[in-house]
Each structure stands twice: as C-alpha cells, then as structure tokens.
Amino acid sequence: MTRDHLEIRPRLAAVRLLRLASVATVAIGAAALALISTPAQAVPSFARQTGLACEACHTIPPELTPFGRRFRLNAYTLTTRPPLVSDIDDHKRNTVWLTDLPGMSILLQATYDHWNRPLPDSLVPGAKSQSDDFQFPQQMSIMYAGAISDHFGAWLQMTYLQNTGSLGIDNNDVRYSDHTANNDWVWGVTLNNNPSFQDVWNTGEAYGIPYFPVQSLYSATQPLGNTGMRAPIFTQFPGLAAGLGAYVWYKDSIYLELSEYHSAKSGSAIANEDSSNLNVGGGTIDNFAPYWRAAYERDWGYNSAMIGTSGMYVKFVPSVFAGQTLSPGNVNRYLDLSVDWQYQYNGQHNIFTFLGHYTHENQENDPGLVPTYFNNSTDHLNQLQVTGEYYYNHRYGGLVSFRRATGTTDVPFNGGTGSPANQFEVFELDYLPWYNAKLLLQYDLYNVVNNNQNPFFLLGATNPKASDNNTWVVGLWMDF
Amino acid sequence: MDGLLMGKLAVHSLFVAALALAATVVRDAPAADLVVPHDPSALDATMLVSNACSKCHGATGVSISPLFPILAAQQAAYIDTELKLFRQRARSDPHARAFMWGIARGLTDDQIDGVAQYFSSQPPVRGTASRNPALAERGKALFENGVPAREVPACNICHGANAEGLGTFPRLAGQHRDYLVTQLQQFRGQLRESEIMQPIAKNITDDEIAAVAEYVASK
C-alpha cells in the first residue's frame, strides 16, 4: 500500500477499518498462532533411545534439568544402542548411520475450560452461545524426536488442534553437534522455525510458561489463551520463520549462540505473515533478523542457576491491513533485549524452580506509517514474567506465574485506549500419577487487558472487563 | 492408449526397475557389513564411550559437571562392579535409577569390561587446590584417622594412602567435591546401597562430610 493511498482514506473510515482489521487480525492471528504455537513437552522417544528415566532430563516435564540441557545441546544423540544400518566407505568416511529405533512419540492434551463470563448470545444470532469448552483432544502431536545419526538429531513435531480443526507443522529443530576431545567445548548448528525454541532453558517464550495454554474452540477468544496479548516481536514467529544458528557450550557453563531468521516476503500468503496481534495486520521479517543469546550456568549439588541475555533485531514489513498487499517501502525496526534467570533445586524429594525474564522492546515506526497507523515515531514495550514452582516427589505440586507488559500509549497501533498493557497470573496445581502423565487444575486470572484485545469488547458485550476472561482449566496431559 | 501398449509399457517399466534394482544390489554387494545385526555388543567400548559415556563423564573420563563422577584412572574393578549393579538394578540411588539403569540395561560383560579398562587407563586428574585449607586439614585428619569414638574407620585403610583406590574400592582423589558429598549423604541416608559404606556413613556429621570431601577433592 502506498503512502498516497493511505492519505486519501478518510480518517473515520480508516479507524473503522482499523477496528475491523483488528478483529480479523485477532481471528486470523489466533488461528495461525494456535496452529503453530503449542507448548514444548517431554518426549518419551528420548527415553526409548537412551534408556534414561524422565527425571534424568526433566524436573517436571517439560522443564529441563542440567543433564536435559546437555542432551539437547548434544543434538539429542546420546544412546547405547547400535546403529541398525551403518556404512563406511573406502576413505573411512561414515556414509550412513541409521538408528534402530525411530524416535516417534505421541503427545496428547485434553481439557475442560470454563470462562468467568459467558460469551454474549449475539455471537450466534438467534442461538444461545456455548461458552465452556470440552476438548478431547485439545491437541495431539506426533513427533520424531531423537538421534538421526551419531552427531545429528531432530525434534520434528506435527500437531492437530481442535480449535482450528487442522493438522500443521509445530516446533521443529534439527541440529548437528560435536565436541572437542576433552569435552570442554560442545558446538552445534541448529535449524529451527521459532526464535527461542532452540533455547535449553525454560525462561523464554517458545519453551516456556504457559505450558498448557487455553485454546478455545471459539477462535476470537484465543488471544487470551495467555499467549495472545501484546508481546515482544521475537515471540511472534512460531513456525513462521526459518532460522539457522550456531552455538558453543563451554565447560558446561557458558553458552553463546548467534542465529538468523528469515520469513518469505509475500503479499498474500497468511502462512508467511506474522500472525501476531500487531494491530496493523501482521507482516513479515524484512531480509534476515539476527537473534543472539548468551548464558552462564553454574551447577552445584542439587542446585543449578543460570543468568542470561538474549535479543533480536527485526526489520518488519507490516502488511497494514490483514489480507492486503504489503508495502515494501514501509519498514518498522524492532530491537528486543532480554535478561533471563533460572534457579532450580532438584533434590531427593523436593523440587523448587524460580525463573523469569524481562524484555525491553524498542520499536521505530516507519515515518510513512505515522500518524495514521502509529501515533509515535518510537514505541516501547516492557514485559516481565516471573514464575515459582514447587513439586514433591515428582508427583504433587504446582506453579504460580505472573506476567506483566507495559509500554507507550499508541492509539492507532494498539487500539482501544492505546495502551499495550496487559497483566495476568497463572495458578496451577498438578498431580502426576506417572512421569509422563499430568492432571492439572489451572486458573488464569487477568488483571489488565486492552479492550482491543479483549474478545468481550470486540464482540460487543456490555461493560467488558479484563476479568471476563478469567478461566478455569481442567486438563490432562499425556506423552507416550 | 490401447491395452497392448499399456502392457508393453508396464513390462518395460518393470524391466527397467529390475535392472536398476540389480545394479543397486551389485553395487552394494561388497559392503557385506552394511547391515549390523541388532546386538548391543556391536558397539565396542570406544563407540560406547563416544555415543553415551562421554556425554556426561567426558571423553577421557574427566566430567565437568559435579553431577557426574570423574572416571579417569578409576579402578577398573570398581567400574565393572558398579556397571553390573546398575544393570541388575541392585544399586538404586536416585541418579543410578534416573541415568545408569537405562544406560547399563543392555550392556554385555565384554562391553562393561571394555569400558572399565578404557576409563581406568586414562590419566588421573589432579585435584583442585582447596580454598579452605583449614577444612581440608581437618578432612586429612579424618581421612587418615577416622573417628574412633564413633567407630568410623580411617578412609585410607580401603581407599589407599593417596585415595587412589584399590580393586573394588574406588579412587576418590581429585573427584568433584559435590559428588563426594552427595555420595556420603546418600550412604548415610541409605539411598545408596553398600554394606561397607552405610554403617560407616551412619556415624558421620555434615561437617565431617564437608571436610573429608574438601581434602579428597584437592588431592
């Protein structure tokens, strides 16, 4: 869309269209996000391959122990099993190495969700709307997870989601790794489709809390599956970008990584669009977006502590309105900088975990899009997430997680009051009859939600409030 | 397209396919060892160390994380004994259950022997100097004299004057402090089986564990 084209549009019409676009974006974004962004979990095919118990790699699935992190950094390759097929040519080169057991697993989630406020009946004209969801499965994944050869492994996940009724590509991570003879340096290359999915700590977005997000059958409420509200841009490309990264892991303590992400520029294919709730209707990464990560971990006794930093710089081409052509001349520049931390106590009976991250996002808006689509030339977003967990004997426990986002007011961009602020807490009680099965009771409490991201506002409910979205979740998670 | 032509084409396609298959078979035939029988013994000790042991214990038995013991120059008989205990699930401390039961489950006696020989023949690692000499000095006294009043024998009787171990008594010198502390606590808490170490550890205090670990790790 050209700048001239933008300017001849009457302001009122633009605002109305913006509102419409927001709804469409939320719906489309929700569908795409729901399709792609499902939580990472424990994978029994690793156990089949290694013979290790779940608790070798996980405190409580999917959170990783120090050993679980090493297993992943070593490209999922640890095994005592011989290759089924191997061949070495005349030059002593290993030409093929196939494992004897394909690393297949199934992940199953079933859920019952109850909203604090029923959806307005007007949603379905003439009919009383159903507001609780009972989904079996909420999602089901089939995955290959494990070694491919002696230095090469993969996590390839396909997921069916009931709220979209479709099967799609979920998190993918293919990696190669090797180490020096004395094991001081482990190095690797990762090819993945979701910035931060490759990370081995659970402080980020792709491999972090919430592990069991609400996924409503009514897609317009999806944004409040506690992932869909305004969030830093690096979290907004699950399955929508391809990244190639290289990392080193020094003396089991220092981790450094540099990756580059790219999404195909396309004017029409939703699959290539950012599915975020950037209210201008999504867009794509312009050229390559670098992502970097550094972390320091120290393990002693039953304790493991990490402090780290990460960031991503994205030149982002907004598509202005969902479904309309991109405007290649308009580029917004995002810089995300995060610090994150994790402490684990993984004792004989008790497991304590304290983890979180703080992200500051600086967003420079293209002058051509100001003031029609962005009020400010520069916007900021700050996100804080803090989580505490306790489990006893790997069997009983729970977590409390707090997330808060604040930032600059920008009415055209954020809609509603113009504030990007949101805040919610997750309270969860878990019972694990076996390590690979979890029964949970979760309550999501919303304190702050921008109207423009509140489905009750968008659906025209009277006096919409953040708390309308509070949700009880009864869930079952199984992995086998 | 009539049926005859279809038939000819089909026969032709089959012929080409058969030729291609034959060519493949002929080309691959010399590689008699292409298919390795499904037998864990197909992995020799070097491959086992590379594909499994080294991920935690290091390629030369020098682990970096204190969660995993250093195995370099460990007594072969000790490694042999422990691996067989893991395989029988007769040693059931939490780490043994989580890690080593699975790793050892399919190992043959030959593999166990190979791995034991491999690690025992690696050069020993020198302990890190103690940052708390007073504590290490106290540990030295415990190591050499025990605590006669509580019937705790001296460690060096079995583990050697320099904690180098002997036979099924493991080498302790240069081991990770945290690992030593954890093991002593687990003997004391009866989480790790040992007819010898459980009665000994029963009578020692946390301070004494810290002291003796400090001394041994620094050797």
Side-chain angles (χ1 to χ4, degrees), chain B residues 2 23 98 128 143 160 168 197:
Chain B
D2 61 29
T128 50
F143 187 86
T168 56
M197 284 308 297

Side-chain angles (χ1 to χ4, degrees), chain A residues 373-389:
Chain A
Y373 297 97
F374 299 90
N375 203 35
N376 310 320
S377 57
T378 303
D379 280 317
H380 299 291
L381 183 71
N382 303 304
Q383 188 188 65
L384 172 72
Q385 177 155 355
V386 182
T387 302
E389 305 172 20

Side-chain angles (χ1 to χ4, degrees), chain A residues 137-190:
Chain A
Q138 180 194 48
Q139 77 165 66
M140 194 168 97
S141 298
I142 182 162
M143 61 179 81
Y144 182 97
I148 295 173
S149 74
D150 50 348
H151 290 287
F152 197 40
W155 171 310
L156 303 169
Q157 185 178 6
M158 289 196 79
T159 298
Y160 169 83
L161 278 170
Q162 188 155 347
N163 70 343
T164 56
S166 56
L167 183 69
I169 297 295
D170 204 330
N171 293 312
N172 282 349
D173 173 29
V174 177
R175 58 176 81 203
Y176 178 92
S177 95
D178 205 346
H179 54 77
T180 55
N182 62 4
N183 243 15
D184 277 2
W185 293 90
V186 173
W187 60 271
V189 177
T190 165

Side-chain angles (χ1 to χ4, degrees), chain A residues 1-11 14 367-373:
Chain A
M1 179 174 292
T2 65
R3 192 174 174 180
D4 288 343
H5 187 47
L6 292 176
E7 284 172 350
I8 58 170
R9 204 183 286 276
R11 182 66 190 234
L369 299 174
V370 179
T372 310
Y373 297 97

Side-chain angles (χ1 to χ4, degrees), chain A residues 276-299:
Chain A
S276 76
N277 42 22
L278 296 171
N279 295 328
V280 286
T284 63
I285 294 171
D286 181 39
N287 210 353
F288 287 93
Y291 166 93
W292 58 91
R293 171 80 162 122
Y296 174 75
E297 177 177 304
R298 188 168 126 62
D299 304 328

